[in-house]
Amino acid sequence: MLLLLLVYMTEVFMIPVMKEKSMTSQTLREARTYEEAAAKMIRNEERPAFHLSAFTGWMNDPNGFSYYNGMYHMFYQYHPYDAIWGPMHWGHAVSRDMLHWEFLPAAIAPDEFYDMNGCFSGSAVTLPDGRQLLMYTGVQKQRMPGGAADIQTQCLAVGDGLNYEKYEQNPVLDAKDIPEGCSINDFRDPKIWQEKDGTFRCVVGNRPADGSGQILLYRSEDAFNWKFEKVLIANHNRFGKMWECPDFFELDGKYVLLTSPQDMLPEGFEYHNGNGTLCLIGDCDTQNYDFKPEHDQAIDYGIDFYAPQTVLMPDGRRVMIGWMQNWDTCSMRMPSQPWFGQMSLPREISIENGRLYQRPLREMEELRTERAAFSGVRVGENAIELEGVHGRCVDLELKIRAVNAEDLYHKFIMRFAQDERFHTQLSFRPHESVLKIDRKFSGSRRAIIHQRRCKVNSSSGELNLRIILDRFSAEIFINDGEQVMTATLYTPQNADRISFVCDGEAEIDVVKYSLQM
């Protein structure tokens, strides 16, 4: 009777049935066995305290950031066997608050012909029957005139939040599903969502004939059978080249496209990272999906941030997490480090004054302990340290202002992760309204990117900052989230002093909390 019912549901309601497998593939079993053993060799204090890092080995883009069965799921690009990029698996972790993460076994591995060279970035959605669907880019190398090339297709896996089976009719999107003249070698990173009417859509990054980037829109009635709908937006060589890792959603009455373009050229103080981030904000007629951007900006103005993905929380907040790294700085790590790659803080995002604002997840405040507060502190040419203001897991609120608005100070400096040899610093020049982060003395032994500058809104030398430090990172939220600067640092943990100095004279208010898990 059960078999007859299954056949009836499949034929009448066209519900896709997954191929039966008695167990996970040998490739996935080997990855799970290896990661469990290797992760036991990593002590908790060798990891970030509250940023998600690789279980072991290599981590890059966030994948499948979703809320499923009462838990937040974060999958990620993953090479468990080494702390350098390699054949991509999907790592997996879950959390109830996006701050305390529990590692789960690797979710998928490159074990089919269509993904034999990697299971690349993608997303997740809950199906009407309660299962979780993963949509990802499968990569296989094929011989082409002049050498080998990646063939990229979109694939599915379905599971219960722990184990996933690949769809027997993979790939569900391939060369026949892209516009004529577009590249099958640059066709990746699907972001899927369900519409209010029950249908599904996804956006995929692609490269058209002009070598630029574009975002393709697809539609499905059941999340398994997909049809090309339109080019949602084309780059026309305005912002870099290939557009990776798109995310498209409605927020505060506007529509937002997040993407990570490759090979960007700077425009003033925007887009300095080459492989950087782009936020487009505008209106969209969802009857025809006619997206008209009105504003563009970088998502993060620091050094290390890429490929962000968002999730809608049950209470309506939209939260974004990105890979807290830069492709051009991947040599900045300790040679013996058994893991590489970490995610940013979860950031609540909103649209205000036509801009994307980002603020730390409000639940961060529940981690605060050991408050130290100072008001009206004068800072001059002699560096000062304040009692209780130190540490490497710190949430610090800093307000800077001029003592005399008619005689502005020239440069204000805050140093952190500091001892006699090492430090990273923020410096603010009020005459230019420029904030700079500089980590050249943080302990790096490589000639990589160490500085970034950001043009900020400031009047008469006033600036509000919130600086969140973890063991291996700094995230600076400027003017209540109007801009953010992010940087990783691998300074020895005993360098934990914080100091302030000024060319001229400034006045500061400081509230510092230690952060404990």
Side-chain angles (χ1 to χ4, degrees):
M1 179 64 71
L2 181 60
L3 179 60
L4 290 175
L5 179 60
L6 180 60
V7 171
Y8 173 79
M9 292 177 66
T10 303
E11 293 180 349
V12 175
F13 295 102
M14 302 300 291
I15 296 176
V17 176
M18 305 306 295
K19 178 170 59 177
E20 289 292 332
K21 292 186 179 180
S22 59
M23 60 183 67
T24 57
S25 72
Q26 179 70 17
T27 304
L28 183 58
R29 289 199 305 274
E30 289 175 356
R32 288 179 165 186
T33 300
Y34 180 88
E35 67 178 357
E36 182 179 10
K40 291 177 180 177
M41 307 300 291
I42 307 173
R43 297 178 299 163
N44 286 339
E45 55 268 29
E46 295 174 327
R47 295 185 179 276
F50 47 87
H51 289 79
L52 177 62
S53 60
F55 193 14
T56 186
W58 167 277
M59 163 195 281
N60 62 281
D61 304 354
N63 297 159
F65 186 24
S66 55
Y67 184 76
Y68 178 70
N69 283 350
M71 301 287 284
Y72 294 98
H73 288 250
M74 177 63 80
F75 305 86
Y76 53 90
Q77 292 287 270
Y78 183 41
H79 181 218
Y81 300 109
D82 203 342
I84 58 175
W85 190 94
M88 286 293 98
H89 299 56
W90 272 34
H92 191 189
V94 293
S95 175
R96 294 193 181 278
D97 61 3
M98 291 181 271
L99 298 170
H100 301 80
W101 291 96
E102 175 189 352
F103 290 109
L104 294 183
I108 53 177
D111 53 16
E112 298 284 356
F113 75 92
Y114 50 79
D115 62 17
M116 65 177 65
N117 293 108
C119 300
F120 280 61
S121 292
S123 52
V125 71
T126 302
L127 294 170
D129 64 9
R131 296 178 296 169
Q132 188 177 39
L133 178 76
L134 311 183
M135 191 173 193
Y136 70 96
T137 297
V139 175
Q140 58 174 312
K141 287 191 180 295
Q142 291 188 1
R143 292 186 180 276
M144 310 282 282
D150 289 344
I151 302 300
Q152 301 185 345
T153 59
Q154 312 319 312
C155 309
L156 303 174
V158 178
D160 59 3
L162 179 62
N163 295 302
Y164 298 84
E165 296 287 354
K166 293 178 181 178
Y167 185 37
E168 64 179 359
Q169 296 182 38
N170 278 340
V172 296
L173 291 172
D174 56 23
K176 70 179 183 304
D177 302 300
I178 60 178
E180 185 177 356
C182 295
S183 173
I184 192 64
N185 311 120
D186 290 301
F187 175 48
R188 55 185 177 269
D189 311 336
K191 178 62 190 287
I192 184 174
W193 70 92
Q194 187 171 23
E195 299 279 10
K196 294 178 181 178
D197 65 4
T199 62
F200 295 84
R201 280 184 169 81
C202 75
V203 286
V204 186
N206 181 240
R207 191 192 295 264
D210 69 356
S212 182
Q214 64 182 8
I215 304 299
L216 306 181
L217 179 68
Y218 293 86
R219 186 179 189 275
S220 174
E221 295 294 326
D222 60 3
F224 290 85
N225 299 283
W226 291 89
K227 292 183 178 180
F228 172 71
E229 192 161 2
K230 67 182 300 182
V231 176
L232 179 69
I233 186 170
N235 181 20
H236 299 304
N237 287 300
R238 294 171 298 160
F239 305 104
K241 297 293 184 180
M242 173 64 186
W243 283 6
E244 297 192 309
C245 304
D247 196 349
F248 187 67
F249 50 88
E250 185 179 7
L251 182 64
D252 297 327
K254 292 291 183 179
Y255 279 81
V256 178
L257 174 70
L258 306 180
T259 188
S260 296
Q262 296 178 327
D263 302 316
M264 300 181 81
L265 289 173
E267 298 179 13
F269 285 87
E270 301 278 348
Y271 315 126
H272 279 245
N273 273 350
N275 294 326
T277 56
L278 171 67
C279 173
L280 297 175
I281 302 169
D283 291 321
C284 184
D285 171 15
T286 53
Q287 287 292 104
N288 302 306
Y289 268 91
D290 184 17
F291 177 49
K292 295 181 178 179
E294 301 165 343
H295 173 76
D296 67 88
Q297 65 176 90
I299 300 172
D300 194 282
Y301 292 81
I303 304 171
D304 297 305
F305 191 85
Y306 195 74
Q309 200 169 98
T310 69
V311 67
L312 190 63
M313 296 180 67
D315 63 8
R317 287 179 284 169
R318 187 166 287 273
V319 173
M320 176 180 71
I321 290 179
W323 181 43
M324 196 161 56
Q325 193 58 55
N326 182 313
W327 281 113
D328 296 319
T329 62
C330 291
S331 62
M332 182 180 172
R333 61 177 180 271
M334 295 170 284
S336 60
Q337 188 172 305
W339 62 268
F340 181 76
Q342 53 188 317
M343 298 301 178
S344 73
L345 281 176
R347 303 174 182 180
E348 298 181 26
I349 60 173
S350 59
I351 303 299
E352 301 173 31
N353 306 314
R355 287 189 59 88
L356 180 74
Y357 274 64
Q358 307 168 57
R359 299 177 176 92
L361 186 75
R362 63 192 67 172
E363 283 78 1
M364 278 286 302
E365 297 177 11
E366 298 174 10
L367 306 181
R368 288 174 164 179
T369 62
E370 299 177 356
R371 184 177 187 268
F374 299 85
S375 180
V377 177
R378 294 287 181 95
V379 182
E381 62 182 7
N382 295 317
I384 64 170
E385 299 181 28
L386 302 174
E387 185 177 356
V389 179
H390 58 84
R392 290 290 291 273
C393 293
V394 166
D395 187 347
L396 187 145
E397 298 171 357
L398 174 65
K399 295 184 179 181
I400 311 165
R401 56 184 172 268
V403 172
N404 183 352
E406 297 180 358
D407 184 21
L408 280 181
Y409 56 92
H410 296 287
K411 182 168 71 171
F412 175 87
I413 294 173
M414 171 187 167
R415 294 191 176 111
F416 53 88
Q418 180 183 11
D419 63 11
E420 289 73 18
R421 186 173 188 181
F422 302 111
H423 70 265
T424 295
Q425 76 176 31
L426 290 172
S427 60
F428 176 55
R429 296 179 179 271
H431 291 282
E432 304 169 10
S433 293
V434 169
L435 180 69
K436 181 172 75 173
I437 188 166
D438 185 342
R439 66 180 181 193
K440 63 177 173 287
F441 296 111
S442 67
S444 169
R445 299 177 184 269
R446 295 290 183 269
I448 60 174
I449 301 166
H450 289 311
Q451 300 178 349
R452 278 286 177 261
R453 298 187 303 160
C454 177
K455 188 82 168 180
V456 301
N457 283 327
S458 174
S459 176
S460 301
E462 293 189 8
L463 189 65
N464 294 331
L465 303 175
R466 183 175 175 188
I467 299 139
I468 296 183
L469 307 179
D470 202 345
R471 293 169 179 148
F472 304 100
S473 64
E475 289 167 90
I476 297 93
F477 296 82
I478 305 161
N479 289 334
D480 197 28
E482 186 176 22
Q483 292 157 294
V484 187
M485 302 181 79
T486 301
T488 57
L489 45 134
Y490 295 92
T491 312
Q493 295 300 303
N494 55 5
D496 66 349
R497 288 162 40 202
I498 296 173
S499 66
F500 309 93
V501 67
C502 188
D503 180 0
E505 191 174 30
E507 188 174 83
I508 61 172
D509 300 334
V510 179
V511 181
K512 170 263 176 183
Y513 300 90
S514 296
L515 295 173
Q516 294 185 1
M517 300 299 288

